[in-house]
Amino acid sequence: MAATYAEAAAEALDNPPHETNVPQNKVPADQLEKLKKDAKDVTDDAIKKVKEASEDLKKELNELEKEGKSLWAKFISSVESAASSLKSSLSDAGATVQSTASSALTTTSKELQNPVVLIQALVGAGGIAAGYLVATERHRIDFDNKVVVGVHAAVITGLVLLDGYLFNTYYPKYDKKTL
């Protein structure tokens, strides 16, 4: 027996143990050839199936690409149609606005030749200016005093009634449309 651990290890390497019960896995030559042939057939069959699947996939992708192009063309056509429709609608609306504005301008220019209408416009502008002044000076006006509110209401009512009377009396006399 070995005296040291190193000597025991060296002796074990020089004399490996012999096992007699290890099975030998040797395949006979005819069976080996049959296994090789079967493996080649399975491999060839798998390659053939992969190629067929690849061809089918390519065909399917081409069809999807064509359908995609078709759908894209339909979408573009739809957008172009909608844009054309919107353009014609806006054009028609613009023409309507233009004719209405032109008609309103013509009517306004004829009406402003009547002095009664011109005076009404000036009184209206004065009323707007007075309303603006009241709005800016409202902190100084005592709206709690009923006399102040009553005077303002009476002045406004009197001006509206006077305007109505003068309009009904003098407007037909100066109307350019009836001449």
Side-chain angles (χ1 to χ4, degrees), residues 82-179:
S84 175
S85 175
L86 179 64
K87 178 184 172 186
S88 71
S89 296
L90 290 176
S91 177
D92 292 346
T96 303
V97 167
Q98 182 181 4
S99 71
T100 304
S102 175
S103 174
L105 187 60
T106 303
T107 304
T108 303
S109 67
K110 285 182 183 176
E111 290 294 330
L112 285 177
Q113 291 176 2
N114 189 334
V116 176
V117 174
L118 189 58
I119 290 172
Q120 277 188 315
L122 293 174
V123 169
I128 291 171
Y132 175 74
L133 288 174
V134 167
T136 58
E137 298 294 325
R138 68 178 176 265
H139 63 281
R140 296 165 92 194
I141 300 172
D142 184 16
F143 286 112
D144 292 334
N145 189 341
K146 294 184 191 265
V147 174
V148 172
V149 174
V151 168
H152 282 96
V155 168
I156 292 170
T157 304
L159 287 174
V160 169
L161 290 174
L162 179 64
D163 179 54
Y165 171 76
L166 293 174
F167 182 78
N168 286 331
T169 305
Y170 294 108
Y171 180 79
K173 182 177 176 182
Y174 296 105
D175 190 13
K176 298 284 185 185
K177 293 182 285 191
T178 59
L179 292 178

Coordinates of all heavy atoms in Angstrom, one line a residue, residues 82-179:
A82 N -63.2 62.6 -49.9 CA -63.7 63.5 -48.8 C -63.1 64.9 -49.0 O -63.8 65.9 -48.7 CB -63.3 62.9 -47.5
A83 N -61.8 65.0 -49.3 CA -61.2 66.3 -49.5 C -61.9 67.1 -50.6 O -62.1 68.3 -50.5 CB -59.7 66.2 -49.7
S84 N -62.2 66.4 -51.7 CA -62.8 67.0 -52.9 C -64.2 67.5 -52.5 O -64.6 68.6 -52.8 CB -62.9 66.0 -54.0 OG -63.6 66.6 -55.1
S85 N -64.9 66.7 -51.7 CA -66.3 67.0 -51.3 C -66.2 68.2 -50.3 O -67.0 69.1 -50.4 CB -66.9 65.8 -50.6 OG -68.1 66.2 -50.0
L86 N -65.2 68.2 -49.4 CA -65.1 69.3 -48.5 C -64.7 70.6 -49.3 O -65.3 71.7 -49.0 CB -64.0 69.0 -47.5 CG -63.7 70.1 -46.4 CD1 -64.9 70.4 -45.6 CD2 -62.5 69.7 -45.6
K87 N -63.9 70.5 -50.3 CA -63.5 71.6 -51.1 C -64.7 72.2 -51.8 O -64.9 73.5 -51.8 CB -62.4 71.2 -52.1 CG -62.0 72.3 -53.0 CD -61.0 71.8 -54.1 CE -60.7 72.9 -55.1 NZ -59.9 72.4 -56.2
S88 N -65.5 71.4 -52.4 CA -66.7 71.9 -53.1 C -67.7 72.5 -52.1 O -68.3 73.5 -52.4 CB -67.4 70.8 -53.9 OG -68.0 69.8 -53.1
S89 N -67.9 71.9 -50.9 CA -68.8 72.4 -49.9 C -68.3 73.8 -49.4 O -69.1 74.7 -49.3 CB -68.9 71.5 -48.7 OG -69.5 70.3 -49.1
L90 N -67.0 73.9 -49.2 CA -66.4 75.2 -48.7 C -66.5 76.3 -49.9 O -66.8 77.4 -49.6 CB -65.0 75.0 -48.3 CG -64.8 74.3 -47.0 CD1 -63.3 74.1 -46.7 CD2 -65.4 75.0 -45.8
S91 N -66.3 75.8 -51.1 CA -66.5 76.7 -52.2 C -67.9 77.2 -52.3 O -68.1 78.4 -52.5 CB -66.0 76.0 -53.5 OG -66.2 76.9 -54.6
D92 N -68.9 76.3 -52.2 CA -70.3 76.7 -52.2 C -70.6 77.6 -51.1 O -71.3 78.6 -51.3 CB -71.2 75.5 -52.2 CG -71.1 74.6 -53.5 OD1 -70.5 75.1 -54.5 OD2 -71.5 73.5 -53.5
A93 N -70.1 77.3 -49.9 CA -70.4 78.2 -48.7 C -69.8 79.5 -48.9 O -70.4 80.6 -48.6 CB -69.8 77.5 -47.5
G94 N -68.5 79.6 -49.5 CA -67.9 80.9 -49.7 C -68.7 81.7 -50.7 O -68.8 82.9 -50.6
A95 N -69.2 81.0 -51.8 CA -70.0 81.8 -52.8 C -71.3 82.3 -52.1 O -71.7 83.5 -52.4 CB -70.3 80.9 -53.9
T96 N -71.9 81.5 -51.3 CA -73.1 82.0 -50.6 C -72.8 83.1 -49.7 O -73.6 84.1 -49.7 CB -73.7 80.8 -49.8 OG1 -74.0 79.7 -50.7 CG2 -75.0 81.2 -49.1
V97 N -71.7 83.0 -48.9 CA -71.3 84.1 -48.0 C -71.0 85.4 -48.8 O -71.4 86.5 -48.5 CB -70.1 83.7 -47.1 CG1 -69.5 84.9 -46.4 CG2 -70.6 82.7 -46.1
Q98 N -70.3 85.2 -49.9 CA -70.0 86.4 -50.8 C -71.2 87.0 -51.3 O -71.4 88.3 -51.3 CB -69.1 85.9 -51.9 CG -68.6 87.1 -52.8 CD -67.7 86.6 -53.9 OE1 -67.5 85.4 -54.1 NE2 -67.2 87.5 -54.7
S99 N -72.2 86.3 -51.8 CA -73.4 86.9 -52.4 C -74.2 87.5 -51.3 O -74.8 88.6 -51.5 CB -74.2 85.8 -53.2 OG -74.8 84.9 -52.3
T100 N -74.3 86.9 -50.1 CA -75.1 87.4 -49.0 C -74.4 88.7 -48.6 O -75.1 89.7 -48.3 CB -75.2 86.4 -47.9 OG1 -75.7 85.2 -48.4 CG2 -76.0 87.0 -46.7
A101 N -73.1 88.7 -48.4 CA -72.4 89.9 -48.0 C -72.5 91.0 -49.0 O -72.7 92.2 -48.7 CB -70.9 89.6 -47.8
S102 N -72.5 90.7 -50.3 CA -72.6 91.7 -51.3 C -74.0 92.3 -51.3 O -74.2 93.5 -51.4 CB -72.4 91.0 -52.7 OG -72.6 92.0 -53.7
S103 N -75.0 91.4 -51.1 CA -76.4 91.9 -51.0 C -76.6 92.8 -49.8 O -77.3 93.8 -49.9 CB -77.4 90.6 -51.0 OG -78.7 91.1 -50.8
A104 N -76.0 92.3 -48.7 CA -76.2 93.1 -47.4 C -75.5 94.5 -47.6 O -76.0 95.5 -47.1 CB -75.6 92.4 -46.3
L105 N -74.3 94.5 -48.3 CA -73.6 95.7 -48.5 C -74.4 96.7 -49.4 O -74.5 97.9 -49.1 CB -72.2 95.5 -49.1 CG -71.3 96.7 -49.2 CD1 -71.0 97.3 -47.8 CD2 -70.0 96.2 -49.8
T106 N -75.0 96.1 -50.4 CA -75.8 96.9 -51.3 C -77.0 97.5 -50.6 O -77.3 98.7 -50.7 CB -76.3 96.1 -52.5 OG1 -75.2 95.6 -53.2 CG2 -77.1 96.9 -53.5
T107 N -77.7 96.7 -49.8 CA -78.9 97.1 -49.1 C -78.5 98.2 -48.0 O -79.2 99.2 -47.9 CB -79.5 95.9 -48.4 OG1 -79.9 94.9 -49.3 CG2 -80.8 96.3 -47.6
T108 N -77.4 97.9 -47.4 CA -76.9 98.9 -46.3 C -76.5 100.2 -47.0 O -76.9 101.3 -46.4 CB -75.7 98.3 -45.6 OG1 -76.0 97.1 -45.0 CG2 -75.2 99.3 -44.5
S109 N -75.9 100.2 -48.1 CA -75.5 101.5 -48.8 C -76.8 102.2 -49.2 O -76.8 103.5 -49.1 CB -74.6 101.2 -49.9 OG -75.3 100.6 -51.0
K110 N -77.8 101.5 -49.7 CA -79.1 102.2 -50.0 C -79.8 102.7 -48.8 O -80.3 103.9 -48.8 CB -80.0 101.2 -50.7 CG -79.6 100.9 -52.2 CD -80.6 100.0 -52.8 CE -80.2 99.6 -54.2 NZ -81.1 98.7 -54.8
E111 N -79.8 102.0 -47.7 CA -80.4 102.4 -46.5 C -79.7 103.6 -45.8 O -80.4 104.5 -45.3 CB -80.5 101.3 -45.5 CG -81.5 100.2 -45.9 CD -83.0 100.6 -45.9 OE1 -83.3 101.5 -45.1 OE2 -83.7 100.0 -46.7
L112 N -78.4 103.6 -45.9 CA -77.7 104.7 -45.3 C -77.8 106.0 -46.1 O -77.5 107.1 -45.6 CB -76.2 104.4 -45.2 CG -75.9 103.4 -44.0 CD1 -74.4 103.1 -44.0 CD2 -76.3 103.9 -42.7
Q113 N -78.4 106.0 -47.3 CA -78.7 107.2 -48.0 C -79.9 107.9 -47.5 O -80.2 109.1 -47.7 CB -78.9 106.9 -49.5 CG -77.6 106.5 -50.2 CD -77.9 106.0 -51.7 OE1 -79.0 106.1 -52.2 NE2 -76.8 105.6 -52.3
N114 N -80.7 107.1 -46.7 CA -81.9 107.7 -46.0 C -81.4 108.4 -44.7 O -80.8 107.8 -43.9 CB -82.9 106.6 -45.7 CG -84.2 107.1 -45.2 OD1 -84.3 108.2 -44.6 ND2 -85.2 106.3 -45.4
P115 N -81.6 109.7 -44.5 CA -81.1 110.4 -43.3 C -81.7 109.9 -42.0 O -81.0 109.9 -41.0 CB -81.5 111.9 -43.5 CG -82.4 111.9 -44.7 CD -82.3 110.6 -45.4
V116 N -82.9 109.3 -42.1 CA -83.5 108.8 -40.8 C -82.7 107.6 -40.4 O -82.4 107.4 -39.2 CB -85.0 108.4 -41.1 CG1 -85.6 107.7 -39.9 CG2 -85.8 109.6 -41.5
V117 N -82.3 106.7 -41.3 CA -81.5 105.5 -40.9 C -80.1 106.0 -40.4 O -79.6 105.4 -39.5 CB -81.4 104.6 -42.1 CG1 -80.4 103.4 -41.8 CG2 -82.7 104.0 -42.5
L118 N -79.5 107.0 -41.1 CA -78.2 107.5 -40.7 C -78.3 108.1 -39.2 O -77.4 107.8 -38.4 CB -77.8 108.6 -41.6 CG -76.3 109.1 -41.5 CD1 -75.4 107.9 -41.6 CD2 -76.0 110.1 -42.5
I119 N -79.4 108.8 -38.9 CA -79.5 109.4 -37.6 C -79.7 108.2 -36.6 O -79.2 108.3 -35.5 CB -80.7 110.3 -37.5 CG1 -80.3 111.6 -38.3 CG2 -81.1 110.7 -36.1 CD1 -81.5 112.6 -38.5
Q120 N -80.5 107.2 -37.0 CA -80.7 106.0 -36.1 C -79.3 105.3 -35.8 O -79.1 104.9 -34.7 CB -81.6 105.0 -36.7 CG -83.1 105.3 -36.5 CD -84.0 104.2 -36.9 OE1 -83.7 103.6 -38.0 NE2 -84.9 103.8 -36.1
A121 N -78.5 105.2 -36.8 CA -77.2 104.6 -36.6 C -76.3 105.5 -35.6 O -75.6 104.9 -34.8 CB -76.5 104.5 -37.9
L122 N -76.4 106.8 -35.8 CA -75.7 107.6 -34.9 C -76.2 107.6 -33.5 O -75.4 107.5 -32.5 CB -75.7 109.1 -35.4 CG -74.9 109.3 -36.7 CD1 -75.2 110.8 -37.2 CD2 -73.5 109.1 -36.5
V123 N -77.5 107.5 -33.3 CA -78.1 107.4 -32.0 C -77.7 106.0 -31.4 O -77.4 105.9 -30.2 CB -79.7 107.6 -32.0 CG1 -80.3 107.2 -30.7 CG2 -80.0 109.0 -32.4
G124 N -77.7 105.0 -32.2 CA -77.3 103.6 -31.7 C -75.9 103.7 -31.2 O -75.5 103.1 -30.2
A125 N -75.0 104.3 -32.0 CA -73.6 104.4 -31.6 C -73.5 105.2 -30.3 O -72.7 104.8 -29.4 CB -72.8 105.1 -32.7
G126 N -74.3 106.3 -30.2 CA -74.3 107.0 -28.9 C -74.7 106.2 -27.7 O -74.2 106.3 -26.6
G127 N -75.7 105.4 -28.0 CA -76.2 104.5 -26.9 C -75.2 103.5 -26.5 O -75.0 103.2 -25.3
I128 N -74.4 102.9 -27.5 CA -73.4 102.0 -27.1 C -72.3 102.7 -26.3 O -71.8 102.2 -25.3 CB -72.8 101.4 -28.4 CG1 -73.8 100.4 -29.0 CG2 -71.5 100.6 -28.1 CD1 -73.5 99.9 -30.4
A129 N -71.9 103.9 -26.7 CA -70.9 104.7 -26.0 C -71.4 105.0 -24.6 O -70.7 104.9 -23.6 CB -70.6 106.0 -26.7
A130 N -72.7 105.3 -24.4 CA -73.2 105.6 -23.1 C -73.2 104.4 -22.2 O -72.9 104.4 -21.1 CB -74.7 106.2 -23.2
G131 N -73.6 103.2 -22.8 CA -73.5 102.0 -22.1 C -72.1 101.7 -21.6 O -71.9 101.2 -20.5
Y132 N -71.1 101.9 -22.5 CA -69.7 101.7 -22.1 C -69.4 102.6 -20.9 O -68.7 102.1 -20.0 CB -68.8 101.9 -23.3 CG -67.4 101.8 -22.9 CD1 -66.8 100.6 -22.7 CD2 -66.6 103.0 -22.8 CE1 -65.4 100.5 -22.4 CE2 -65.2 102.9 -22.5 CZ -64.7 101.6 -22.3 OH -63.3 101.6 -21.9
L133 N -69.8 103.9 -21.0 CA -69.4 104.8 -19.9 C -70.1 104.4 -18.6 O -69.5 104.4 -17.5 CB -69.9 106.2 -20.2 CG -69.0 106.9 -21.3 CD1 -69.6 108.2 -21.7 CD2 -67.6 107.0 -20.8
V134 N -71.4 103.9 -18.7 CA -72.1 103.4 -17.5 C -71.3 102.2 -16.9 O -71.2 102.1 -15.7 CB -73.5 103.1 -17.8 CG1 -74.2 102.3 -16.7 CG2 -74.3 104.4 -18.0
A135 N -70.9 101.3 -17.8 CA -70.2 100.1 -17.3 C -68.9 100.5 -16.6 O -68.5 99.9 -15.6 CB -69.9 99.2 -18.5
T136 N -68.1 101.5 -17.2 CA -66.9 101.8 -16.5 C -67.0 102.7 -15.3 O -66.2 102.6 -14.4 CB -66.0 102.6 -17.5 OG1 -66.7 103.8 -18.0 CG2 -65.6 101.8 -18.7
E137 N -68.1 103.4 -15.2 CA -68.4 104.2 -14.0 C -69.4 103.7 -13.1 O -70.0 104.4 -12.2 CB -68.8 105.6 -14.5 CG -67.8 106.4 -15.3 CD -66.6 106.7 -14.5 OE1 -66.7 107.1 -13.3 OE2 -65.5 106.7 -15.1
R138 N -69.7 102.4 -13.2 CA -70.8 101.8 -12.4 C -70.5 101.9 -10.9 O -71.4 101.9 -10.1 CB -71.1 100.4 -12.8 CG -70.0 99.4 -12.5 CD -70.5 98.0 -13.0 NE -69.4 97.1 -12.8 CZ -68.5 96.7 -13.7 NH1 -68.6 97.2 -14.9 NH2 -67.5 95.9 -13.5
H139 N -69.3 102.0 -10.5 CA -68.9 102.0 -9.1 C -69.4 103.4 -8.5 O -69.5 103.5 -7.3 CB -67.5 101.8 -8.8 CG -66.6 102.8 -9.5 ND1 -66.2 102.8 -10.8 CD2 -65.9 103.8 -8.9 CE1 -65.4 103.8 -11.1 NE2 -65.2 104.4 -9.9
R140 N -69.6 104.4 -9.3 CA -69.9 105.7 -8.8 C -71.4 105.9 -8.8 O -71.9 106.9 -8.2 CB -69.3 106.8 -9.7 CG -67.7 106.7 -9.6 CD -67.1 107.5 -10.6 NE -66.8 108.9 -10.2 CZ -66.5 109.8 -11.1 NH1 -66.4 109.6 -12.4 NH2 -66.2 111.0 -10.6
I141 N -72.2 105.1 -9.6 CA -73.6 105.3 -9.7 C -74.3 104.5 -8.6 O -74.0 103.3 -8.3 CB -74.1 104.7 -11.1 CG1 -73.5 105.5 -12.2 CG2 -75.6 104.8 -11.2 CD1 -73.8 105.0 -13.6
D142 N -75.2 105.2 -7.9 CA -76.0 104.5 -6.8 C -77.2 103.8 -7.3 O -78.3 104.4 -7.5 CB -76.3 105.6 -5.8 CG -77.0 105.0 -4.6 OD1 -76.9 103.8 -4.4 OD2 -77.6 105.8 -3.8
F143 N -77.0 102.5 -7.7 CA -78.2 101.8 -8.2 C -79.2 101.4 -7.1 O -80.3 101.0 -7.4 CB -77.7 100.5 -8.9 CG -77.0 100.8 -10.2 CD1 -75.7 100.6 -10.4 CD2 -77.8 101.3 -11.3 CE1 -75.1 100.8 -11.6 CE2 -77.2 101.5 -12.5 CZ -75.8 101.3 -12.7
D144 N -78.9 101.6 -5.8 CA -79.8 101.3 -4.8 C -80.9 102.4 -4.7 O -81.9 102.2 -4.1 CB -79.1 101.2 -3.4 CG -78.2 99.9 -3.4 OD1 -78.5 99.0 -4.1 OD2 -77.2 99.9 -2.7
N145 N -80.6 103.6 -5.1 CA -81.5 104.8 -5.1 C -82.5 104.6 -6.2 O -82.2 104.6 -7.4 CB -80.7 106.1 -5.3 CG -81.6 107.3 -5.0 OD1 -82.8 107.2 -5.1 ND2 -81.0 108.4 -4.7
K146 N -83.8 104.4 -5.9 CA -84.8 104.2 -6.9 C -85.1 105.4 -7.8 O -85.5 105.2 -8.9 CB -86.1 103.8 -6.1 CG -86.0 102.5 -5.4 CD -87.3 102.1 -4.8 CE -87.2 100.9 -3.9 NZ -87.4 99.6 -4.4
V147 N -84.8 106.6 -7.4 CA -85.0 107.7 -8.2 C -83.9 107.7 -9.3 O -84.3 108.0 -10.5 CB -84.8 109.0 -7.3 CG1 -84.9 110.3 -8.2 CG2 -85.9 109.1 -6.3
V148 N -82.7 107.4 -9.1 CA -81.7 107.3 -10.1 C -82.0 106.3 -11.1 O -81.9 106.5 -12.3 CB -80.3 107.0 -9.5 CG1 -79.2 106.7 -10.5 CG2 -79.8 108.2 -8.6
V149 N -82.4 105.1 -10.7 CA -82.8 104.0 -11.6 C -84.0 104.4 -12.4 O -84.1 104.2 -13.6 CB -83.1 102.7 -10.8 CG1 -83.6 101.6 -11.7 CG2 -81.8 102.2 -10.1
G150 N -85.0 105.1 -11.8 CA -86.2 105.5 -12.5 C -85.9 106.6 -13.5 O -86.5 106.5 -14.6
V151 N -85.0 107.5 -13.3 CA -84.6 108.5 -14.2 C -84.0 107.9 -15.4 O -84.3 108.2 -16.6 CB -83.7 109.6 -13.6 CG1 -83.1 110.5 -14.6 CG2 -84.5 110.4 -12.6
H152 N -83.1 106.9 -15.2 CA -82.4 106.3 -16.3 C -83.4 105.5 -17.1 O -83.3 105.5 -18.4 CB -81.3 105.3 -15.7 CG -80.0 106.0 -15.3 ND1 -79.8 106.3 -14.0 CD2 -79.0 106.3 -16.0 CE1 -78.6 106.9 -13.9 NE2 -78.1 106.9 -15.1
A153 N -84.3 104.8 -16.5 CA -85.3 104.0 -17.2 C -86.2 104.9 -18.1 O -86.5 104.6 -19.2 CB -86.1 103.1 -16.3
A154 N -86.6 106.1 -17.5 CA -87.4 107.0 -18.2 C -86.7 107.6 -19.4 O -87.3 107.7 -20.5 CB -87.9 108.1 -17.3
V155 N -85.5 107.9 -19.3 CA -84.7 108.5 -20.4 C -84.5 107.5 -21.5 O -84.8 107.8 -22.7 CB -83.3 109.0 -19.9 CG1 -82.4 109.3 -21.1 CG2 -83.5 110.2 -19.0
I156 N -84.2 106.2 -21.1 CA -84.1 105.2 -22.2 C -85.4 104.9 -22.9 O -85.5 104.9 -24.1 CB -83.5 103.9 -21.5 CG1 -82.1 104.1 -21.1 CG2 -83.6 102.7 -22.5 CD1 -81.5 103.0 -20.2
T157 N -86.5 104.8 -22.1 CA -87.8 104.6 -22.7 C -88.2 105.7 -23.6 O -88.7 105.5 -24.7 CB -88.9 104.4 -21.6 OG1 -88.4 103.3 -20.7 CG2 -90.2 104.0 -22.2
G158 N -88.0 107.0 -23.2 CA -88.3 108.1 -24.0 C -87.6 108.2 -25.3 O -88.1 108.4 -26.4
L159 N -86.3 107.8 -25.3 CA -85.5 107.8 -26.5 C -85.9 106.7 -27.4 O -86.0 107.0 -28.7 CB -84.0 107.6 -26.1 CG -83.3 108.8 -25.5 CD1 -81.9 108.5 -25.1 CD2 -83.3 110.0 -26.5
V160 N -86.3 105.6 -26.9 CA -86.8 104.5 -27.8 C -88.1 104.9 -28.4 O -88.3 104.7 -29.6 CB -86.9 103.2 -27.0 CG1 -87.6 102.1 -27.8 CG2 -85.5 102.7 -26.6
L161 N -89.0 105.5 -27.7 CA -90.3 105.9 -28.2 C -90.2 107.0 -29.2 O -90.8 107.0 -30.3 CB -91.3 106.3 -27.1 CG -91.8 105.2 -26.2 CD1 -92.6 105.8 -25.0 CD2 -92.6 104.2 -27.0
L162 N -89.3 108.0 -29.0 CA -89.0 109.1 -29.9 C -88.4 108.5 -31.2 O -88.8 108.9 -32.3 CB -88.1 110.1 -29.3 CG -87.7 111.3 -30.1 CD1 -89.0 112.1 -30.5 CD2 -86.7 112.1 -29.5
D163 N -87.5 107.6 -31.1 CA -86.9 107.0 -32.3 C -88.0 106.3 -33.1 O -88.0 106.4 -34.3 CB -85.8 106.0 -31.8 CG -85.2 105.3 -33.0 OD1 -84.7 106.1 -33.9 OD2 -85.1 104.1 -33.0
G164 N -88.8 105.5 -32.5 CA -89.9 104.8 -33.2 C -90.8 105.8 -33.9 O -91.2 105.5 -35.1
Y165 N -91.2 106.8 -33.2 CA -92.1 107.8 -33.8 C -91.4 108.5 -35.0 O -92.0 108.6 -36.1 CB -92.5 108.9 -32.8 CG -93.3 110.0 -33.4 CD1 -94.6 109.9 -33.8 CD2 -92.7 111.3 -33.6 CE1 -95.3 111.0 -34.4 CE2 -93.3 112.3 -34.2 CZ -94.6 112.2 -34.6 OH -95.3 113.2 -35.2
L166 N -90.2 109.0 -34.9 CA -89.5 109.6 -36.0 C -89.3 108.7 -37.1 O -89.4 109.1 -38.3 CB -88.2 110.2 -35.5 CG -88.3 111.4 -34.5 CD1 -86.9 111.7 -34.0 CD2 -89.0 112.6 -35.1
F167 N -89.0 107.4 -36.9 CA -88.7 106.5 -37.9 C -90.0 106.2 -38.7 O -90.0 106.3 -40.0 CB -88.2 105.1 -37.3 CG -87.9 104.1 -38.4 CD1 -86.7 104.2 -39.1 CD2 -88.8 103.1 -38.7 CE1 -86.4 103.2 -40.0 CE2 -88.5 102.1 -39.6 CZ -87.3 102.2 -40.3
N168 N -91.1 106.0 -38.0 CA -92.4 105.8 -38.7 C -92.9 107.0 -39.5 O -93.5 106.9 -40.6 CB -93.5 105.3 -37.8 CG -93.3 103.9 -37.3 OD1 -92.7 103.1 -38.0 ND2 -93.7 103.6 -36.1
T169 N -92.6 108.2 -39.0 CA -93.0 109.4 -39.7 C -92.1 109.7 -40.9 O -92.6 110.1 -42.0 CB -93.0 110.6 -38.7 OG1 -93.8 110.2 -37.6 CG2 -93.5 111.8 -39.3
Y170 N -90.8 109.7 -40.7 CA -89.9 110.2 -41.8 C -89.3 109.2 -42.7 O -88.8 109.5 -43.7 CB -88.8 111.1 -41.1 CG -89.4 112.3 -40.5 CD1 -89.5 112.5 -39.1 CD2 -89.9 113.4 -41.3 CE1 -90.0 113.6 -38.5 CE2 -90.5 114.5 -40.7 CZ -90.5 114.6 -39.4 OH -91.1 115.7 -38.8
Y171 N -89.2 108.0 -42.3 CA -88.5 107.0 -43.1 C -89.2 106.8 -44.5 O -88.5 106.8 -45.5 CB -88.5 105.6 -42.4 CG -87.8 104.5 -43.2 CD1 -86.4 104.5 -43.2 CD2 -88.5 103.6 -43.9 CE1 -85.8 103.5 -44.0 CE2 -87.9 102.6 -44.7 CZ -86.5 102.6 -44.7 OH -85.9 101.6 -45.4
P172 N -90.5 106.7 -44.6 CA -91.1 106.5 -45.9 C -90.8 107.7 -46.8 O -90.8 107.6 -48.0 CB -92.6 106.3 -45.6 CG -92.7 105.9 -44.2 CD -91.5 106.5 -43.5
K173 N -90.7 108.9 -46.2 CA -90.6 110.1 -47.0 C -89.2 110.1 -47.7 O -89.1 110.6 -48.8 CB -90.7 111.3 -46.0 CG -90.6 112.6 -46.7 CD -90.8 113.7 -45.7 CE -90.6 115.1 -46.3 NZ -90.7 116.2 -45.4
Y174 N -88.2 109.6 -47.1 CA -86.8 109.6 -47.6 C -86.3 108.3 -48.2 O -85.2 108.1 -48.6 CB -85.8 110.1 -46.5 CG -86.0 111.5 -46.1 CD1 -86.6 111.8 -44.9 CD2 -85.7 112.6 -46.9 CE1 -86.9 113.1 -44.5 CE2 -85.9 113.9 -46.5 CZ -86.5 114.1 -45.3 OH -86.7 115.4 -44.9
D175 N -87.2 107.3 -48.2 CA -86.9 105.9 -48.7 C -86.5 106.0 -50.2 O -87.3 106.4 -51.0 CB -88.0 105.0 -48.4 CG -87.6 103.5 -48.6 OD1 -86.4 103.3 -48.8 OD2 -88.5 102.7 -48.7
K176 N -85.3 105.5 -50.5 CA -84.8 105.5 -51.9 C -85.5 104.3 -52.7 O -85.5 104.4 -53.9 CB -83.3 105.4 -52.0 CG -82.6 106.5 -51.3 CD -82.6 107.7 -52.2 CE -81.7 108.8 -51.6 NZ -81.8 110.0 -52.3
K177 N -85.9 103.3 -52.0 CA -86.5 102.1 -52.7 C -87.8 102.5 -53.3 O -88.2 101.9 -54.4 CB -86.6 101.0 -51.8 CG -85.2 100.4 -51.3 CD -85.4 99.2 -50.4 CE -85.9 99.8 -49.0 NZ -85.9 98.9 -48.0
T178 N -88.6 103.3 -52.7 CA -90.0 103.6 -53.2 C -90.0 104.7 -54.2 O -91.0 105.0 -54.8 CB -90.9 104.0 -52.0 OG1 -90.4 105.1 -51.3 CG2 -91.0 102.8 -51.1
L179 N -88.9 105.5 -54.4 CA -88.9 106.6 -55.3 C -88.9 106.1 -56.8 O -88.5 105.2 -57.2 CB -87.7 107.5 -55.1 CG -87.7 108.3 -53.8 CD1 -86.5 109.1 -53.6 CD2 -88.9 109.2 -53.7

